[in-house]
Amino acid sequence: RLTLLLLDLDGFKEINDTLGHLAGDTVLKAVARRLSSVVGQKAAIARLGGDEFIALIEGAIEREAVTLLADTLLAALRKPVMFKQQSIYFSASIGVADYPADAATPDDFMRSADMALYKVKRAGRGSIGHFTPEIATIFDTRRLAIEMVRRAGSEGRIVPFYQPKVSLTDRSVYGFEALARIRNADGTVSGPGEFWSAFGDATSSRLIGQHIWTALTEDIAFWLSEGFDPGVVSFNACEFSFQAPDFVKNLIRRLAQKRIPHSMIEIEVTETVFWGEDSRLIGKMLEQLHSEGIRISLDDFGTGYASLTHLRDFPIDCIKIDQSFIAGLGVKAENTTIVHAIVDLCRNLGMDVVAEGIETEAQLDFLRAVHCNGGQGFLFSKAIPAEQVLQMMRPTIAQRA
């Protein structure tokens, strides 16, 4: 029997970027010494490369003992490392796998520990996680979703569908949200629920964003040439999109190429984009976009963390109330109070507010009563392909004419 501990340092890139590689090397040496001190007598240890280390323990060892050993190691690694009279603080995450219980081959053994480590880092870092069969199922689902997205991207089958944004006072359409869809070879259309886990992969997420942005601008340019003004069209940008150094420049260039007014575009972000180490950089990029006349919307409001600080520190034009709160209107008193409070907050801050997932007349009546000025949901329309947008809006276009 073997037990494998796969250790990865949290925030090591930031140490290298801010203090230099000599500081990073000092930290790596300190980690090696502490790893040797804590588990060196019980395991074979090695540095795999970068900021990854392993400890391989031979013989039967109970899970409780492994957890205790890992916790002792994590505690040792939390102590600061001195570099040029400066204290460097960091933490680590550990994924654990057992042989032969979790794997039949050396490659699968490493893969199992890696999956356990990935789950720990996604859950918040700085702790230990053991491999379970459920993790393998999650990874298989993620792998299939990534393959689906990459294949669809290479074949040009990732397209935007458009859900109308409606003024709740008279149900008139004042804009659209572009939502990712995949057209399948058999003619069916897959919604994001069928490839949701691919959004956690940086390459796949950027691929989706690029296809949606390219098609969206093509559609807007066509609509304008046909005499139809779609209003403000929004699309979602994830944290991976903002990591591209030319993200803002490419957006502005594309709008210029298609002769699309900046005021017609709204970028929706969720609070997750502010959680990482690049939050300051993302804030600057949002400021750039905002200064160019592009609107910024905070999506899924109320489901993340530190929401009020985001409203204070970033250029937010619109707040979208998450559909989970709308679904609970009239069912849970807490939901009703929260929605009312969010609408009042937006009004006092001079921000627009959009309620997501409106499905019933009762929900619409409540939102009207609290003076929510915008909404979207199946009560008005599901997301539709670009070619149906003009058909849906022709009566409105005729009235305007």
Side-chain angles (χ1 to χ4, degrees):
R1 285 185 55 181
L2 297 168
T3 298
L4 177 63
L5 280 69
L6 179 60
L7 182 149
D8 181 84
L9 300 185
D10 302 322
F12 183 71
K13 181 179 182 296
E14 185 177 359
I15 295 172
N16 274 333
D17 291 345
T18 58
L19 300 176
H21 288 277
L22 185 58
D25 290 346
T26 301
V27 168
L28 291 174
K29 292 174 183 177
V31 171
R33 287 193 299 269
R34 294 175 190 182
L35 184 59
S36 299
S37 175
V38 174
V39 302
Q41 300 301 315
K42 305 171 183 175
I45 58 176
R47 176 178 172 231
L48 291 182
D51 60 349
E52 280 194 336
F53 295 80
I54 59 168
L56 187 63
I57 305 171
E58 188 175 4
I61 179 171
E62 297 299 323
R63 172 169 288 202
E64 292 77 8
V66 174
T67 301
L68 178 61
L69 181 65
D71 285 340
T72 303
L73 177 57
L74 292 177
L77 293 175
R78 291 189 191 103
K79 296 176 182 178
V81 172
M82 296 303 299
F83 175 75
K84 293 184 178 180
Q85 300 182 333
Q86 181 174 353
S87 297
I88 302 176
Y89 290 87
F90 59 95
S91 63
S93 302
I94 298 177
V96 181
D98 293 310
Y99 175 88
D102 298 332
T105 67
D107 284 343
D108 286 345
F109 193 22
M110 278 293 297
R111 182 171 176 267
S112 295
D114 196 36
M115 283 190 280
L117 174 63
Y118 178 84
K119 191 170 188 298
V120 169
K121 294 181 79 72
R122 292 287 291 180
R125 305 180 179 183
S127 61
I128 174 179
H130 292 265
F131 174 83
T132 63
E134 291 77 16
I135 293 177
T137 301
I138 292 171
F139 267 74
D140 286 341
T141 301
R142 182 172 181 267
R143 176 180 54 80
L144 292 173
I146 290 172
E147 290 177 0
M148 178 183 186
V149 166
R150 294 187 179 180
R151 190 180 306 113
S154 66
E155 297 172 0
R157 294 188 286 105
I158 300 176
V159 297
F161 272 39
Y162 297 91
Q163 186 170 42
K165 293 181 182 180
V166 174
S167 171
L168 299 189
T169 55
D170 60 4
R171 300 195 187 209
S172 61
V173 176
Y174 66 85
F176 294 85
E177 178 183 2
L179 300 166
R181 298 290 187 266
I182 289 179
R183 293 190 186 275
N184 299 310
D186 62 1
T188 60
V189 176
S190 293
E194 296 182 51
F195 52 92
W196 185 256
S197 54
F199 285 98
D201 173 67
T203 302
S204 299
S205 187
R206 289 195 195 103
L207 181 66
I208 293 170
Q210 289 167 359
H211 277 269
I212 296 303
W213 175 242
T214 299
L216 177 155
T217 48
E218 292 281 357
D219 291 337
I220 294 177
F222 173 72
W223 292 331
L224 291 174
S225 71
E226 292 291 306
F228 167 52
D229 180 355
V232 177
V233 181
S234 64
F235 74 102
N236 292 274
C238 68
E239 59 267 36
F240 299 122
S241 296
F242 285 99
Q243 290 170 5
D246 295 330
F247 177 65
V248 174
K249 187 185 297 184
N250 289 338
L251 257 60
I252 301 301
R253 184 187 299 122
R254 178 71 177 177
L255 292 176
Q257 290 173 347
K258 293 297 175 180
R259 299 182 180 179
I260 297 172
H262 294 187
S263 58
M264 295 184 68
I265 301 298
E266 181 175 83
I267 292 181
E268 297 190 12
V269 297
T270 62
E271 290 170 323
T272 56
V273 304
F274 305 123
W275 294 355
E277 300 167 1
D278 299 327
S279 59
R280 286 186 181 179
L281 177 60
I282 290 173
K284 289 181 179 179
M285 296 170 80
L286 291 176
E287 291 282 0
Q288 282 181 275
L289 291 165
H290 197 259
S291 67
E292 290 283 348
I294 294 173
R295 288 170 52 87
I296 308 298
S297 176
L298 190 56
D299 197 13
D300 298 339
F301 186 79
T303 60
Y305 300 100
S307 301
L308 296 181
T309 63
H310 298 153
L311 301 185
R312 180 194 66 195
D313 298 338
F314 299 99
I316 306 299
D317 297 293
C318 177
I319 286 176
K320 302 189 74 176
I321 306 175
D322 186 71
Q323 60 185 351
S324 62
F325 294 112
I326 306 304
L329 289 175
V331 179
K332 291 184 178 181
E334 295 86 353
N335 280 23
T336 303
T337 302
I338 289 170
V339 170
H340 199 163
I342 294 174
V343 174
D344 285 343
L345 176 65
C346 291
R347 188 163 59 245
N348 291 330
L349 292 174
M351 297 177 180
D352 293 329
V353 59
V354 174
E356 297 183 288
I358 303 173
E359 296 186 354
T360 68
E361 293 289 344
Q363 292 168 354
L364 175 60
D365 290 341
F366 173 84
L367 292 164
R368 281 174 170 166
V370 298
H371 307 292
C372 179
N373 55 8
Q376 59 190 104
F378 287 173
L379 179 64
F380 311 113
S381 173
K382 64 180 182 179
I384 58 177
E387 56 268 24
Q388 291 183 19
V389 170
L390 280 179
Q391 296 175 18
M392 183 185 76
M393 296 302 297
R394 275 205 179 102
T396 303
I397 298 171
Q399 289 174 6
R400 290 175 182 171

